[in-house]
Amino acid sequence: MLTDLTDEKLVELAVSRNSEAFGEIVKRWERKIFALCFGMLGREDDARDAAQETFIAAYRNISNFRGEAKVSSWLHRIAVNQCLTTKRRAKTRSEEFLDDASGEGDRVFVVPEHRSPANSTEATERLTIVRQAVSSLPVDLRQVIVMKEFEEMTFQEISDTLDLPLSTVKSRLYTALRQLRMKLERVPLEIS
Amino acid sequence: MNDVDFLKCKFGSGIVPYMYGEMSGSESSSFESHLLECSMCTDEFASISSARYEVYEWKKLEFDPLATPQIEIVFDTGSAVSWADKLRAVFAQSWAIPSMTAAGILVAAVFATTFLLSEKGSPDIAANFSKDAAVDESGTRSSPEITSTEAGVSVNTSEERQPQPGVVRSAAAQRVSQKHAVRTARPITIKATSAQNDKKAPRLNEFVEEEDTSVRLAELFDDIETSE
């Protein structure tokens, strides 16, 4: 079973042109790579395209992976590169349209069919988990994350509202996200 | 990942500001270059981004579809009210007309009182009042009678002195006595109000010449010499 293999093992299989193995890697890391791209680009559609380009690039260069670093770190670096490329393109063009049709033939990795991101039940469960995780945060951390994500306030605005130094606001948000990450990692959120 | 190792990296504090796009251009470029070199920061950035995206998606799926509540506050948004309309609204009140009538009467009373008091003349006492009793035609000396009124204290002369037998009066003396009789017949009003007491002494350039009606000793001697 591919799901029982480690990332490194999957990469070894993928190097030998096992597309299903690479598909399993994509399944495992798609969401996190997408989140990383979203964190860098700030837009969903750009993040989606960048994540796609990341895995395409990873598959093309999978033979260069030597196992010196973790697969996740390797994918992260590729994702960062892709995001920076996207940013540079956005700077030179007024509108950027990533041609989804280009290179479609190169995409040989296969996402398992039973994977259904639109599964409403799983999505609902995940939202419930996230809501509970945020609610369980200490008040001073929760209010910062809510003001930033829901009210879309700037750090300066949060600082002025809560009468806190700017550095404290950033620090609290970082701490809140870290705690949230730890709480969410206890619950498998990967769609399987 | 070792949190201690991560914290040693000076770029670690840039993860959150960079993620939310609140970093200057030069700082962003430096951070991006660092991400390409530092796997620790890259992994941490990915981890934080993942947590952040979970919150973002939760907000998008649960909060954003919610309809914004329509909060209605009843304001008086009628057309601009002119001053005439406002005045009519005031007079429409049941208490308005009686109150205004009473106020008008009060104001009129105040004005009338002020006017009457000013018409009654100078408030000073000494100019019209003399301790030397005025002598009327019959030669009697009348001492002033002081009575108090609302407007002040009025002094009226009254005849007390009985004519003295054996006194031959000259024509001049009679003229003087007549003059005095005329003078003393006029009531003398003494204003004893507080306003009067507060009145300041007139300045020299404000001096108003008044008829001197007091009895002068020199006039008496003149008359006597003339008669002799």
Side-chain angles (χ1 to χ4, degrees):
Chain A
M1 284 286 287
L2 290 174
T3 52
D4 298 330
L5 298 177
T6 62
D7 292 338
E8 287 71 18
K9 205 67 182 171
L10 287 171
V11 168
E12 283 181 22
L13 293 172
V15 169
S16 58
R17 296 292 172 184
N18 186 336
S19 59
E20 286 185 4
F22 193 80
E24 180 61 27
I25 290 175
V26 171
K27 189 187 77 171
R28 287 183 187 183
W29 296 103
E30 179 185 28
R31 189 171 180 83
K32 288 195 174 170
I33 295 300
F34 170 66
L36 168 61
C37 295
F38 180 78
M40 288 202 68
L41 300 173
R43 287 181 58 185
E44 270 194 79
D45 49 354
D46 290 344
R48 240 175 266 283
D49 293 337
Q52 193 121 16
E53 293 294 325
T54 298
F55 285 106
I56 293 172
Y59 187 75
R60 284 178 182 160
N61 297 286
I62 198 152
S63 56
N64 297 332
F65 179 73
R66 290 177 176 79
E68 294 166 350
K70 292 190 293 184
V71 173
S72 58
S73 300
W74 175 66
L75 289 172
H76 290 160
R77 187 170 299 180
I78 298 173
V80 168
N81 265 314
Q82 286 299 321
C83 291
L84 294 179
T85 304
T86 302
K87 275 190 169 183
R88 279 193 289 270
R89 272 190 229 151
K91 279 181 186 176
T92 55
R93 298 179 193 176
S94 57
E95 283 188 2
E96 184 182 79
F97 296 99
L98 293 177
D99 189 356
D100 291 339
S102 65
E104 233 179 66
D106 298 334
R107 297 179 190 175
V108 296
F109 55 88
V110 176
V111 176
E113 288 181 357
H114 65 269
R115 180 183 184 278
S116 175
N119 190 314
S120 60
T121 306
E122 289 177 349
T124 306
E125 285 175 3
R126 186 166 71 249
L127 294 178
T128 305
I129 291 167
V130 173
R131 194 190 318 119
Q132 288 173 352
V134 173
S135 301
S136 66
L137 290 173
V139 175
D140 55 344
L141 300 182
R142 195 190 328 150
Q143 67 181 1
V144 175
I145 207 169
V146 168
M147 290 169 92
K148 192 65 185 155
E149 289 292 339
F150 281 75
E151 297 183 62
E152 296 177 358
M153 297 169 72
T154 63
F155 286 122
Q156 189 60 54
E157 287 169 346
I158 298 172
S159 168
D160 295 338
T161 302
L162 299 179
D163 196 23
L164 292 171
L166 200 60
S167 58
T168 304
V169 173
K170 294 176 185 177
S171 170
R172 282 192 185 181
L173 185 58
Y174 175 71
T175 305
L177 289 171
R178 286 195 81 194
Q179 287 193 16
L180 205 59
R181 180 198 66 188
M182 287 190 289
K183 290 175 191 290
L184 295 175
E185 279 178 353
R186 290 190 202 124
V187 182
L189 289 177
E190 304 300 331
I191 301 170
S192 58
Chain B
M1 191 201 63
N2 192 327
D3 289 348
V4 177
D5 292 334
F6 168 72
L7 290 172
K8 289 179 185 174
C9 182
K10 63 177 181 177
F11 284 92
S13 61
I15 286 179
V16 166
Y18 180 83
M19 188 189 307
Y20 286 99
E22 293 195 35
M23 217 180 226
S24 67
S26 58
E27 288 175 333
S28 295
S29 300
S30 302
F31 186 77
E32 287 165 0
S33 302
H34 177 74
L35 279 184
L36 292 172
E37 297 168 357
C38 179
S39 59
M40 258 191 327
C41 287
T42 305
D43 290 345
E44 182 68 9
F45 185 88
S47 178
I48 298 297
S49 297
S50 180
R52 186 240 169 157
Y53 184 74
E54 296 293 342
V55 179
Y56 167 83
E57 201 171 42
W58 167 47
K59 179 219 174 212
K60 190 181 78 168
L61 296 177
E62 276 204 348
F63 179 74
D64 288 348
L66 298 176
T68 302
Q70 298 295 321
I71 300 169
E72 292 185 5
I73 300 173
V74 180
F75 293 106
D76 184 10
T77 57
S79 58
V81 181
S82 67
W83 65 269
D85 292 333
K86 290 179 186 174
L87 207 58
R88 272 194 284 274
V90 171
F91 277 106
Q93 303 291 332
S94 59
W95 49 265
I97 293 176
S99 304
M100 294 217 166
T101 307
I105 292 170
L106 187 64
V107 169
V110 169
F111 272 114
T113 305
T114 308
F115 179 75
L116 288 172
L117 288 174
S118 64
E119 281 292 306
K120 285 194 174 178
S122 170
D124 67 37
I125 315 166
N128 293 327
F129 178 68
S130 171
K131 287 188 178 178
D132 296 327
V135 180
D136 57 6
E137 287 185 18
S138 58
T140 56
R141 167 174 291 190
S142 60
S143 59
E145 181 185 50
I146 301 173
T147 59
S148 61
T149 63
E150 279 187 18
V153 178
S154 62
V155 177
N156 295 314
T157 57
S158 62
E159 188 175 298
E160 288 184 1
R161 190 168 178 180
Q162 298 297 323
Q164 294 183 359
V167 176
V168 179
R169 297 173 63 84
S170 63
Q174 287 179 3
R175 282 199 297 277
V176 170
S177 67
Q178 285 175 3
K179 202 188 296 181
H180 289 302
V182 172
R183 279 200 293 274
T184 56
R186 196 185 337 159
I188 301 169
T189 303
I190 304 170
K191 288 186 179 178
T193 59
S194 61
Q196 193 57 43
N197 294 334
D198 294 335
K199 192 172 183 180
K200 295 180 182 176
R203 294 174 179 272
L204 289 177
N205 57 354
E206 295 175 3
F207 179 76
V208 176
E209 189 173 3
E210 295 176 355
E211 181 187 356
D212 185 8
T213 57
S214 61
V215 176
R216 291 186 178 276
L217 193 62
E219 290 176 354
L220 286 174
F221 282 111
D222 287 342
D223 291 336
I224 293 169
E225 288 173 1
T226 304
S227 64
E228 288 177 351

